[in-house]
Amino acid sequence: MDQGNIVICRCEEVTLKELIAAAETYRCSARELKLRTRAGMGCCGGRTCRRFIDMVARQATGEAPSHGIPLGYQPPVRPVAFGQLGGVIG
Amino acid sequence: MTDVLIVGAGPAGLSAAATCARHGLSVRVVDEFMKPGGRLLGQLHEEPDGTWWNGIEEARRLYEQAVGLGASVACGVSVYDAARGEEGWVVSTTEGILEAPVLLLATGAAETALPLPGWTIPGVMSIGAAQVMTNVHRVRVGERGVIIGVNILAVAIARELQLAGIHVDRMVLPPRNPVTQEAASPYHVMQSLLRVAHLAPSAFIRYGSRLVKSDPLLRLAVRCYPAGGVKMWRMPIHLRTAAVEILGTSKVEGVRLARVSPDGEPLPGTEHDIPADFVCIAGGLHPLAELAAVAGCPFAYLPELGGHVPLHNERMETPLAGLYVAGNITGIESAKVAMAQGAVAGLAIAEHLGRLRDRTALADAIAHVKRVRRSATIQFHPEIGRGRADVERMFQEQGISGK
């Protein structure tokens, strides 16, 4: 099977092929790649795929990893119920 | 009022909790798993001296010690945000908001995946998930498994599955693709395995590994690696065979293998299918540091430590006032190192809150971490010492803000 058909972001169903095509077209940062493809923007917050999005972006731009985190984290960093966010519980 | 809130009830968090409680501090520990112990719960292996390391026993000992000294430990509680408030840290949990002047993040490590075709089929799991199912939940993960990804953690867990009576058929490389990289290179994998070959149960592997010290010899060893793999505990470990696809529709039914060149390139015409009802993906570990990121802590990228780690010094302080880290969040090492780091964090916190009478205890604990690191049987990275020195230097350059 073609490795390009691998699903990288399971929440948003983005394949390796789609990520590589976007990365080669725009030669962009991991963050831009995420925004263009929606990879890493699903309900899990990119827990598994964020490092792959970063790898694909770096391979297209040739940039070395930096000390800053390439894809920022936003709370909630765990799935939570709406009631919890609204302050109904606790 | 809680003096210290600790996220993570693993070896680092529990030993820090005990240390803080011993110094008269009010300590609260939360962990999202249903049992305390963290990754200790999965660990069961024979040490080179013939004794057994039983992680469940270690976890019980640490938990009872912390609770006996007065720490409160709540399991099944997830933390989803941490922010600096006016008086201390405001931490959002699934049990409500908790506040404390000191926050210690001991969240450990997460597993790295190795994507390949079919990796989303039910029955494919991370090697750590198989370990937890086997050793914690006592659930049989399957009858016949294949491990994709060759590293020391996978070898150790494969042995645990075997001890539980589960047939692990073989261990193979992942396919070469843009997101598997070095994990799919026979040369790189051979290099990293040789660092732990002294632990092998077979004298053939132990002595053979000593001969392969130079790079040309290493390349020769990869070229000549036996097609049938090298057996460890009767399980063949393959470095010249990769899984190119996991087969099945609604569940795992098999794995498609191919022979690969010394560079990891699949050789045409060598594809063949083998049956399997579960697959474990073993891509190694990386520090789980998302809470440090949302808290606003600066990071350092140090591959020796497993990737991005929150900036910290040897006292386990981050540059943010009242924010501490300990255990695998600071770099991938053994549980024994994590325990020793937890004790350092506990003492540094006690000093910060004016409860440490014996200052030499902190210096002794820092020295103890280094001793434990040096005597570790498994170095997850050969340059771990350099990574530790680099993060310390970066911390000193940046300094502590807000103190």
Side-chain angles (χ1 to χ4, degrees), chain A residues 7 59 66-68 78 84, chain B residues 32 119 178 181 290 301 308:
Chain A
V7 174
Q59 282 166 41
S66 71
H67 289 304
R78 285 289 176 284
Q84 279 163 346
Chain B
E32 69 183 351
W119 76 307
Q181 298 188 338
E290 50 210 345
Y301 178 77
H308 282 96

Side-chain angles (χ1 to χ4, degrees), chain B residues 7 14 19 24 95 123 149 164-165 169 182 261 266 270 402:
Chain B
V7 184
L14 288 177
T19 308
E95 296 288 310
D169 192 63
E182 289 184 354
S261 72
T270 62

Side-chain angles (χ1 to χ4, degrees), chain A residues 1-10 16 19-20 44-56 58-59 64-81 83-87 89-90, chain B residues 32 78-82 93-97 110-121 175-181 243-245 256 271 285-291 293-294 298-302 306-308 394:
Chain A
M1 187 180 162
D2 179 10
Q3 299 288 315
N5 291 328
I6 303 168
V7 174
I8 296 294
C9 169
R10 299 164 77 157
L16 181 58
L19 275 173
I20 291 172
C44 85
R47 289 189 76 182
T48 307
C49 67
R50 60 169 56 235
R51 60 177 46 236
F52 307 131
I53 300 166
D54 185 41
M55 276 173 151
V56 171
R58 278 197 277 110
Q59 282 166 41
S66 71
H67 289 304
I69 297 232
L71 288 173
Y73 287 92
Q74 281 86 31
V77 297
R78 285 289 176 284
V80 287
Q84 279 163 346
L85 286 179
I89 300 169
Chain B
E32 69 183 351
S78 294
V79 174
Y80 61 86
D81 196 8
T93 81
T94 48
E95 296 288 310
I97 305 274
E111 291 189 81
T112 303
L114 296 170
L116 73 155
W119 76 307
T120 53
I121 298 170
R176 206 165 88 154
N177 68 41
V179 288
T180 53
Q181 298 188 338
V244 291
E245 183 178 356
R256 180 157 295 156
E271 287 192 357
L285 299 169
H286 61 269
L288 184 61
E290 50 210 345
L291 284 172
V294 294
F299 274 73
Y301 178 77
L302 295 164
H308 282 96
M394 286 177 67

